[in-house]
Amino acid sequence: MDVEIRRLTPDLAEDYLYFFDHVGFTDHPEWSQCYCLHFHFENAWDSEDEGQDNPWRERAARFVREGKIQGYLAYADGQVAGWCSANDRENYAGLVRQKELLDRASRDKRVKSIVCFIVAPALRGQGIATRLLARVCEDAAREGYDLLEAYPAQDKADCYAHHHGPPRLYSKFGFYVHKKRKRDCVMRRDLKGQ
C-alpha cells in the first residue's frame, strides 16, 4: 500500500469533506457529523449556522477555506484514508479555555496541539496514524514550535475512545505524560530540547 501524507489546504476541502461523509465513520456513523470542529469552540454545540441543511458540514467547509481547520490527510493508493487534526494550541478555543494547560512550562512557548486521529476502518492497524504523527512532528519542529501536546484517553479503550490517539502512539515519538486528568492525560514532546 502506497501512503502519502498531505497537509490540509483549501484545495483539498472536497477530499476532507468526502472523508467525513463517506470514509472515516462507516462503522460509527453517529460520529460522522463532527467534521473535527469540537475543539474550535468553547461551546461546540452552539447554533451559529442554524437553518442550513447540514450546518456542521457547511461550517467545516468554510473553516477549511479560511485555514482555521489545520491538519493532515492520509491517502492510501491515492484514496483519502485518514485524518489528523493538528493546529497551534491558541487556535483551539476549546483548549484555550482549559486554564490548567497554560502552565509555567508552556506559558511563553509555541505549542502545537494534536486533538484527533481518524483512519478508515478497513485500514486501521496498518501504520497510517503513525505516518500522520511522524509528519506532524517533522513539520512542527521545522515551523519552530517549542512543544507538541496531545490529550489521549488514559484507560484501555476501544478505537473510538482513542480518537485523540492512544498513549502508546505518542510514546513511540518521544511524548511523555505531563499531567494526568480525570479521563485523559496531557502528553508533551519538547521539540527544542531534542
Side-chain angles (χ1 to χ4, degrees):
M1 174 174 60
D2 180 40
V3 177
E4 180 186 1
I5 307 301
R6 299 182 197 167
R7 182 190 294 269
L8 180 64
T9 55
D11 61 308
L12 295 178
E14 288 306 314
D15 287 356
Y16 177 85
L17 296 169
Y18 181 85
F19 178 75
F20 279 88
D21 291 341
H22 303 291
V23 180
F25 297 101
T26 56
D27 63 338
H28 205 49
E30 59 272 25
W31 282 18
S32 67
Q33 297 297 309
C34 79
Y35 295 97
C36 220
L37 288 170
H38 179 76
F39 283 97
H40 288 280
F41 300 95
E42 285 193 40
N43 177 9
W45 314 115
D46 66 17
S47 57
E48 173 189 307
D49 298 317
E50 198 171 310
Q52 296 179 2
D53 288 340
N54 189 338
W56 283 93
R57 188 180 198 281
E58 295 302 318
R59 188 182 291 180
R62 188 174 76 242
F63 277 23
V64 172
R65 286 192 306 271
E66 295 170 355
K68 290 182 182 178
I69 293 178
Q70 294 182 19
Y72 299 85
L73 289 168
Y75 292 79
D77 296 329
Q79 302 299 310
V80 65
W83 163 250
C84 174
S85 183
N87 203 334
D88 192 291
R89 185 172 68 187
E90 296 299 310
N91 292 334
Y92 288 121
L95 293 178
V96 171
R97 72 181 163 98
Q98 296 179 39
K99 299 303 179 195
E100 74 272 13
L101 296 177
L102 305 176
D103 58 13
R104 189 175 306 156
S106 70
R107 188 171 295 131
D108 299 320
K109 297 187 176 177
R110 288 187 69 208
V111 180
K112 179 164 263 193
S113 292
I114 305 159
V115 299
C116 193
F117 283 94
I118 309 163
V119 175
L123 298 175
R124 292 180 189 145
Q126 297 186 43
I128 290 176
T130 299
R131 299 276 299 272
L132 284 162
L133 184 54
R135 177 68 184 273
V136 172
C137 293
E138 290 167 17
D139 285 0
R142 190 174 60 252
E143 293 162 2
Y145 280 90
D146 299 292
L147 294 171
L148 277 166
E149 193 169 81
Y151 319 94
Q154 286 191 73
D155 53 1
K156 293 180 180 175
D158 61 22
C159 65
Y160 309 112
H162 278 309
H163 62 280
H164 298 296
R168 69 183 179 280
L169 172 63
Y170 293 110
S171 295
K172 287 193 301 190
F173 285 88
F175 285 72
Y176 59 91
V177 175
H178 171 70
K179 183 183 294 186
K180 291 188 176 185
R181 304 193 293 183
K182 235 180 224 183
R183 284 173 274 186
D184 66 5
C185 62
V186 178
M187 293 187 77
R188 285 183 176 164
R189 177 177 167 181
D190 184 350
L191 294 171
K192 298 296 187 181
Q194 43 183 355

